[in-house]
Amino acid sequence: MSITASLGSRSVAKFLIGAIIGLVACRQPAQAAELAAQDVALLDRLSWGVNASSAAHLREVGVERWLQEQLHPANVALPPAVRAQIEAMPDVHRFPFDIAAAFDLQAKSANQVADPEQRRAAQTVFQQGMNDRVKQAAARTILRALYAPDQLRERMTWFWFNHFNVFQYKAMIRVLLGDYEDHAIRDLLAATLHHPVMLRYLDNADNAAGHLNENYAREIMELHTMGVGSGYTQADVEALARILTGVGVDFASEDPKLKPELQSQLVREGGFEFNPARHDYGDKTFLGHQIKGRGLAEVDEALDILCRHPATATHIARQLATYFVSDNPSDALVQRMAQTFQKTDGDIAAVMSTLVHAPEFTATLKDGAKFKDPVLYVISAVRLAYDTKVILNTMPIQGWLNRLSEGLFNHETPDGYSMLSTAWNGPGQMMLRFEIARAIGSGSAGLFKPNEPNAVDQPAFPQVMNALYFSTIRQTLSPTTLAALDQAVSPQDWNTLFLSSPEFMH
């Protein structure tokens, strides 16, 4: 039996809490004590959650320099213990095309096995291999969110993945999800269009002259660029679908057979393929622009038109403001951000600078207007609880996010997860959060037990009540929350209550 489990006296429990507070306070950086509550709120809003070390760094460099570090991040390395975990993952240095081609061959081989039982066994091994790869991709996402110094970039990576959402369980998307996040999301629209994951997910691999598939063309306009109700027509969707014919996926080792006059237009880069034999070479009218039929160059021209359209600037600006400011950002803020987008030719760092320096953004730091979605809630809880102590197993976090209905790479439709509070603050969701708060607050919760056979759970205890809490966070809590915390009978109980508080949910 643990010491805390054997306590029968509330006074003894409070004495132990006080002793732990004293030890923790001595270990925390002194700089954190001098931060204003609004500074901590700023850090919390633009990162994956405030913790003692990030607060200390903010105090050391000052708010404006910290903002510039986040808006224009250098290539700062992850902590060595995090890098070691990522480097140990299978296939992390293999060329994605080779991986996808191997899985493609494995799938074909499994399906050709004559004996039914052996075929099912081979298919099970194939599915398990894809599951393992997507779990590794999720682990990398979680580790970077927890420990990367460039926190805003990691928040933006999640934002853009949600914006260019794909669903892991369609076709063989699981195999390349990590590469999609690492190499396409950070380069956005053009890179997602050239990535096999997006082309598979939205069916453009099936889009060919004479067999038009409008799915991807419609979602590019509706979700990725201009937005619903922005003035494009069904004729524009059809024109874009024609422009995108021939843009697809091919993991075969040999080039497709083409007529001699088309061979020079074949483009293959990894799993991406532009097959001129499948392209509609007719002229198109797209959003009022005449586009000459000439092959893959049409795609670049169409994307340029979309990216420079005023509706795209407004749509992206509103989504960013909804994610970082409030569920209903003011039209004035959105328009200022959209103007920056257009003036800078889509420089997202400049758009975000407009956002973070806006009075509307500053005002929401004081009232906790943004309710945390499940991913932000869980990651921020672990960051606060363990700070720079690197977890050894991300599977508990992956499980919590799945239970909270915001599992990584797990939203089936292309619109991505909702950014609105109403999607996440219902009674069922809150009950699950309370359970997860208890799991995180009561002990290591499996986070420090490596996900491997015969692994031993490493000793760890969440340190939520620390110097940062007493210097700053405590002053932001309501009398009701403070009264509830005062009723805690153990450190575990106190941690659970704090992580369940309304203030921590925002």
Side-chain angles (χ1 to χ4, degrees), residues 33-52:
E34 302 175 34
L35 279 177
Q38 184 168 310
D39 296 336
V40 174
L42 171 77
L43 173 59
D44 202 44
R45 184 71 63 86
L46 297 179
S47 72
W48 279 106
V50 65
N51 55 18

Side-chain angles (χ1 to χ4, degrees), residues 76-231:
V76 182
L78 289 164
V82 178
R83 293 203 309 271
Q85 285 193 48
I86 292 176
E87 291 291 317
M89 294 179 184
D91 298 333
V92 72
H93 293 300
R94 289 182 62 195
F95 187 46
F97 174 83
D98 292 338
I99 298 168
F103 270 93
D104 194 42
L105 182 61
Q106 183 182 0
K108 292 175 181 176
S109 298
N111 291 333
Q112 290 172 358
V113 175
D115 181 79
E117 288 190 14
Q118 292 181 354
R119 183 169 60 250
R120 281 194 295 271
Q123 290 170 340
T124 298
V125 170
F126 168 72
Q127 292 292 333
Q128 186 59 54
M130 291 201 295
N131 289 339
D132 289 343
R133 285 199 60 78
V134 81
K135 287 175 183 177
Q136 292 170 34
R140 291 194 292 273
T141 297
I142 290 166
L143 289 170
R144 289 168 182 151
L146 287 171
Y147 305 111
D150 47 349
Q151 281 284 291
L152 181 56
R153 178 154 56 185
E154 294 306 317
R155 285 288 305 276
M156 292 298 293
T157 299
W158 171 244
F159 169 85
W160 288 120
F161 187 98
N162 204 47
H163 182 80
F164 295 105
N165 182 62
V166 297
F167 179 54
Q168 63 170 305
Y169 290 113
K170 183 166 183 177
M172 286 172 50
I173 284 177
R174 279 168 286 174
V175 176
L176 291 175
L177 259 176
D179 182 73
Y180 178 71
E181 183 179 57
D182 290 346
H183 298 111
I185 292 302
R186 296 171 195 272
D187 293 326
L188 305 180
L189 183 60
T192 56
L193 186 145
H194 284 78
H195 202 283
V197 163
M198 180 60 76
L199 297 174
R200 285 281 195 213
Y201 176 58
L202 289 180
D203 304 318
N204 209 75
D206 302 325
N207 186 22
H211 298 85
L212 211 60
N213 188 309
E214 299 176 1
N215 196 21
Y216 187 32
R218 179 173 288 103
E219 301 304 355
I220 284 179
M221 301 182 76
E222 180 177 318
L223 299 176
H224 298 169
T225 57
M226 295 172 64
V228 178
S230 54

Side-chain angles (χ1 to χ4, degrees), residues 189-481:
L189 183 60
T192 56
L193 186 145
H194 284 78
H195 202 283
V197 163
M198 180 60 76
L199 297 174
R200 285 281 195 213
Y201 176 58
L202 289 180
D203 304 318
N204 209 75
D206 302 325
N207 186 22
H211 298 85
L212 211 60
N213 188 309
E214 299 176 1
N215 196 21
Y216 187 32
R218 179 173 288 103
E219 301 304 355
I220 284 179
M221 301 182 76
E222 180 177 318
L223 299 176
H224 298 169
T225 57
M226 295 172 64
V228 178
S230 54
Y232 65 86
T233 66
Q234 175 59 26
D236 292 315
V237 174
E238 292 175 6
L240 184 56
R242 290 177 60 207
I243 290 167
L244 291 170
T245 51
V247 173
V249 178
D250 189 355
F251 293 115
S253 57
E254 297 181 354
D255 290 344
K257 294 181 179 180
L258 299 171
K259 296 178 181 179
E261 63 268 25
L262 294 178
Q263 289 175 358
S264 64
Q265 293 207 42
L266 174 68
V267 176
R268 297 190 69 190
E269 299 170 351
F272 170 84
E273 178 183 77
F274 174 73
N275 187 332
R278 295 168 57 84
H279 183 65
D280 179 344
Y281 277 87
D283 294 344
K284 295 94 176 173
T285 301
F286 178 57
L287 294 172
H289 297 260
Q290 297 300 311
I291 295 182
K292 289 289 184 181
R294 61 196 190 282
L296 187 57
E298 299 170 44
V299 176
D300 294 332
E301 184 177 354
L303 293 188
D304 193 58
I305 291 168
L306 285 167
C307 289
R308 287 183 165 85
H309 198 287
T312 297
T314 301
H315 180 58
I316 298 299
R318 187 172 298 280
Q319 285 200 313
L320 285 167
T322 301
Y323 185 56
F324 284 105
V325 182
S326 71
D327 285 0
N328 296 293
S330 70
D331 290 337
L333 172 61
V334 171
Q335 286 309 308
R336 292 200 304 278
M337 293 170 63
Q339 289 167 8
T340 300
F341 186 102
Q342 291 183 280
K343 184 170 63 177
T344 63
D345 201 23
D347 185 335
I348 298 300
V351 175
M352 285 299 297
S353 182
T354 299
L355 181 151
V356 300
H357 290 102
E360 294 94 333
F361 175 76
T362 303
T364 64
L365 297 178
K366 300 175 182 178
D367 59 20
K370 280 301 298 179
F371 186 82
K372 294 177 181 177
D373 65 281
V375 175
L376 182 53
Y377 173 74
V378 170
I379 297 296
S380 63
V382 175
R383 274 176 61 82
L384 182 63
Y386 291 104
D387 200 358
T388 58
K389 185 177 178 64
V390 177
I391 66 171
L392 304 177
N393 188 352
T394 67
M395 291 308 297
I397 294 176
Q398 294 186 44
W400 295 330
L401 296 180
N402 287 332
R403 291 186 64 198
L404 290 168
S405 301
E406 200 179 21
L408 300 181
F409 323 134
N410 215 24
H411 189 72
E412 189 168 357
T413 54
D415 54 345
Y417 288 114
S418 174
M419 292 181 286
L420 302 180
S421 302
T422 51
W424 306 115
N425 61 6
Q429 173 83 197
M430 297 311 294
M431 287 300 297
L432 283 171
R433 289 197 187 198
F434 297 154
E435 289 182 29
I436 292 165
R438 182 167 296 282
I440 296 172
S442 297
S444 60
L447 295 169
F448 294 89
K449 183 178 182 180
N451 187 31
E452 55 191 41
N454 304 316
V456 178
D457 201 356
Q458 305 296 318
F461 188 80
Q463 298 183 352
V464 178
M465 188 191 291
N466 52 33
L468 178 63
Y469 169 77
F470 284 102
S471 67
T472 308
I473 295 176
R474 181 179 171 84
Q475 283 67 52
T476 67
L477 303 181
S478 70
T480 302
T481 297

